Amino acid sequence: MSTQIGTYTNPIIPGFNPDPSIIRSGSSYFLVTSSFEYFPGIPIYHSTDLVKWRLVGHVLTRKSQLDVRTPEPGGGIWAATIREHKGRYYVMSTCYDRYRPQADDRVWPRGFYVWTDDIWKGEWSDPVYFDQVGFDQDLFWDDDGTVYLSTTYRMLKRTPCVPQIKDFAIHICTVDLPTGRCTSAPKLIRSSASGVAEGSHILKRGRYYYLFTAEGGTESGHCEWVSRSESGPFGPWELGPRNPLWRNGTGDEVQNTGHADFVVDESGNWWAVLLGVRPVNVGGQWKASVFGRETFLVPMAWEDDWPVINGGQKITLHSSGPGLYQLEQEVKWRDDFTEAALTLGWYRKNTPQRTDFSLSENPGNLRLWGGPYTLSVPTCPTLFLRKQTSHSATWETQLSFNPTTSNTEAGTVVWWNYLTYSSIGIRLSRTDPNKRILSLRPAEGEEVLLDLQTQDADVRLVIECGSRYRFGFVEVISGEEIGNVQWVGEVSNEAMTADPPVGAAFTGMMLGLYAFGELEGSLVPADFRYAEFR
């Protein structure tokens, strides 16, 4: 760690962590991000200095809170907002069960909130659902105790234009918090010529109410706007003089920036957290980031009662602000599966419907009992994932798996979504039931099959992450490796970040461990000795 005070490096939370929302509670900062189709939902990060963040829990940890079954990529839990009011913590969000933007086919979900009086204990209430549909829910408590709910959904009166724009706009109503019922008709308070106004956050400073909105969509046109009102959350609203508040373009090192939320530190300094992506420049061309959308931090000031974010300048990887410092993000991580419960940071694809793993049946191992769904099925397979947070890293695990049928497999995977992934695993040969083989299923190209030398040895599986993903293995007998790592194949980052034909690529790359049967459960467990990034 550098001692150079006042400069810091973005993103502050690397890897798949979009749509950040933040509060300060005493000397602690808490920040939540979107989780989409993954369980548990809505990660909570904690910091005391805005630079060093630690995952401390999740908001949605029970099936009664989040039961997401077969969403398209990009479905599930969208942008959450965290707020504290009179000592109680609230998180509001929404869950998309159907999201097919290619056909303009979506079911507008009801929003909800959950609450807790002890954010450290991690026991959040079951959801209280709102009457109002939409996404990007925000609650604002006015001085008289009135609670306002703002949310985004399509305007009922469409904009007459060709081609037709999305007409996603901000609507607001008052709400009875205990029941979630609206107590006023929703009012349209912000639409955008771009067709998308979302990510609303309302705050009050002095005599003004401020409405912040993310506009232009979350892709290259993404930006942040502000309006203010002296009357209240229903408006009328006056647009800011310097909208958008900054603008990053398609030639910048950080792109797609927006969806900001705000916090005041103990010294009275204002800060904004926002999402951005870090594309990779290859031969003068920008390629998609494997991390998806990440969490960035920039300073904020006020001039003539208007916010100025990052001095109105573009968001960059290297920034400065009072009291901050340089922090080198940790790459190394290892789980030896010695705890009684899974360590924080493991995710399931969708809500699991039954327990299919054990940390106690074979102590010091993660034992997976493969379920009947392969990795290509849009439900919850026996799959445990972790977020990739560094460009250059090596992921590896050691696996003991001795299948008795050619219909089962266990291994490790680079995961974008159920339509795009690359896996390397152990199974039985379909032509010789007495021979174990290694199977590499790349996101592009043909499956690679290799014979293993033994029928019962452990196999160490290795994935190198960098300018591409490279897959290798080595057999292990009594702790001794049989030769060196044998490299089987590689997959380009471009192939791994393909846009899905249905849904949207709103998440980031993950790596994980899996076991499955093909329409049948595995009767033989897969034991993973450890998993690590290095």
Side-chain angles (χ1 to χ4, degrees):
M1 181 189 303
S2 169
T3 59
Q4 185 179 2
I5 300 298
T7 65
Y8 64 98
T9 299
N10 271 313
I12 55 168
I13 307 181
F16 151 39
N17 283 291
D19 310 319
S21 179
I22 189 171
I23 60 170
R24 179 173 63 84
S25 182
S27 60
S28 288
Y29 301 93
F30 296 98
L31 184 149
V32 297
T33 62
S34 296
S35 51
F36 293 96
E37 61 261 45
Y38 297 101
F39 183 92
I42 310 180
I44 309 171
Y45 295 91
H46 172 258
S47 177
T48 57
D49 59 18
L50 293 171
V51 174
K52 187 175 183 179
W53 293 86
R54 180 172 65 94
L55 180 66
V56 295
H58 296 82
V59 175
L60 307 176
T61 59
R62 306 186 301 273
K63 188 177 178 182
S64 62
Q65 297 170 313
L66 176 62
D67 190 10
V68 59
R69 298 292 183 100
T70 57
E72 298 80 10
I77 294 292
W78 280 31
T81 298
I82 185 170
R83 293 291 181 258
E84 183 183 9
H85 182 69
K86 294 185 177 181
R88 175 165 287 183
Y89 300 90
Y90 298 82
V91 169
M92 55 237 61
S93 186
T94 199
C95 183
Y96 262 104
D97 292 319
R98 184 181 182 90
Y99 181 68
R100 302 178 180 182
Q102 292 83 353
D104 197 17
D105 178 8
R106 57 180 65 76
V107 176
W108 296 101
R110 286 177 180 261
F112 64 87
Y113 77 88
V114 294
W115 61 268
T116 184
D117 291 329
D118 187 347
I119 197 169
W120 289 107
K121 189 176 180 181
E123 293 291 335
W124 293 77
S125 72
D126 279 346
V128 177
Y129 286 91
F130 300 121
D131 284 337
Q132 197 58 50
V133 300
F135 61 90
D136 293 1
Q137 282 74 14
D138 179 81
L139 287 177
F140 171 73
W141 286 260
D142 208 346
D143 297 337
D144 63 1
T146 304
V147 185
Y148 294 83
L149 168 68
S150 61
T151 186
T152 296
Y153 57 93
R154 176 166 282 156
M155 296 161 48
L156 293 177
K157 185 177 181 180
R158 301 297 302 274
T159 302
C161 61
V162 178
Q164 183 67 64
I165 60 177
K166 290 182 177 180
D167 281 328
F168 294 172
I170 310 297
H171 300 75
I172 195 167
C173 64
T174 55
V175 64
D176 176 62
L177 206 54
T179 64
R181 290 183 176 177
C182 295
T183 54
S184 69
K187 180 180 180 181
L188 172 67
I189 59 171
R190 175 63 187 159
S191 61
S192 171
S194 70
V196 179
E198 57 189 346
S200 58
H201 291 306
I202 295 175
L203 62 86
K204 189 177 183 183
R205 178 181 179 270
R207 71 180 192 272
Y208 289 110
Y209 298 82
Y210 293 88
L211 169 65
F212 292 88
T213 51
E215 305 201 1
T218 195
E219 295 82 23
S220 60
H222 205 202
C223 56
E224 190 78 15
W225 285 54
V226 67
S227 306
R228 75 182 183 189
S229 173
E230 288 190 87
S231 302
F234 283 118
W237 293 95
E238 171 193 5
L239 277 174
R242 291 183 292 269
N243 281 318
L245 292 168
W246 75 87
R247 171 74 81 173
N248 280 53
T250 56
D252 295 318
E253 62 180 0
V254 181
Q255 299 179 17
N256 302 12
T257 54
H259 202 111
D261 198 13
F262 312 95
V263 71
V264 186
D265 67 23
E266 289 186 278
S267 299
N269 301 304
W270 283 72
W271 301 90
V273 292
L274 57 117
L275 70 82
V277 299
R278 292 182 287 164
V280 178
N281 195 309
V282 179
Q285 291 187 328
W286 292 108
K287 301 295 183 180
S289 168
V290 298
F291 304 120
R293 300 172 299 164
E294 304 174 278
T295 292
F296 288 69
L297 172 78
V298 291
M300 176 175 171
W302 295 88
E303 295 180 5
D304 300 323
D305 286 323
W306 287 106
V308 179
I309 297 178
N310 202 42
Q313 302 302 306
K314 295 179 179 183
I315 312 301
T316 57
L317 296 177
H318 302 285
S319 191
S320 61
L324 302 193
Y325 60 92
Q326 291 291 336
L327 175 70
E328 184 175 348
Q329 297 286 352
E330 185 65 49
V331 175
K332 292 184 179 179
W333 166 89
R334 182 180 174 103
D335 194 340
D336 289 304
F337 304 119
T338 56
E339 302 295 328
L342 278 174
T343 58
L344 286 173
W346 287 105
Y347 293 92
R348 305 298 302 268
K349 194 274 181 200
N350 302 352
T351 307
Q353 301 302 307
R354 60 173 296 168
T355 301
D356 53 6
F357 74 98
S358 173
L359 290 164
S360 60
E361 290 179 9
N362 187 5
N365 291 263
L366 173 62
R367 170 164 285 185
L368 301 186
W369 292 96
Y373 300 112
T374 70
L375 303 184
S376 298
V377 177
T379 186
C380 182
T382 305
L383 170 66
F384 291 76
L385 296 162
R386 294 194 74 91
K387 299 174 183 179
Q388 181 183 347
T389 60
S390 175
H391 277 294
S392 299
T394 298
W395 166 268
E396 73 170 53
T397 186
Q398 186 167 316
L399 168 63
S400 172
F401 182 57
N402 304 309
T404 56
T405 168
S406 61
N407 298 328
T408 61
E409 181 177 313
T412 191
V413 64
V414 181
W415 179 267
W416 189 241
N417 53 55
Y418 71 88
L419 299 169
T420 300
Y421 62 86
S422 296
S423 63
I424 182 170
I426 301 169
R427 62 185 306 140
L428 281 184
S429 168
R430 295 190 184 278
T431 57
D432 183 353
N434 296 314
K435 183 176 287 294
R436 283 196 315 170
I437 62 172
L438 189 101
S439 168
L440 170 65
R441 288 190 178 87
E444 62 177 356
E446 299 298 319
E447 180 181 14
V448 177
L449 300 175
L450 293 174
D451 291 343
L452 292 173
Q453 298 181 45
T454 68
Q455 280 299 98
D456 56 6
D458 284 10
V459 179
R460 182 162 67 91
L461 301 170
V462 184
I463 302 175
E464 284 187 350
C465 313
S467 59
R468 77 289 185 261
Y469 293 93
R470 186 163 72 140
F471 300 80
F473 76 99
V474 60
E475 293 178 70
V476 183
I477 298 179
S478 300
E480 297 293 326
E481 297 185 353
I482 306 175
N484 299 317
V485 172
Q486 181 176 346
W487 297 105
V488 182
E490 60 184 52
V491 179
S492 70
N493 290 359
E494 191 170 10
M496 281 302 310
T497 53
D499 285 331
V502 63
F506 286 154
T507 59
M509 203 67 71
M510 306 171 87
L511 291 98
L513 315 173
Y514 70 87
F516 65 75
E518 296 172 349
L519 300 181
E520 62 184 63
S522 177
L523 299 179
V524 176
D527 286 333
F528 294 87
R529 312 293 190 197
Y530 65 88
E532 74 172 358
F533 278 113
R534 54 178 173 81

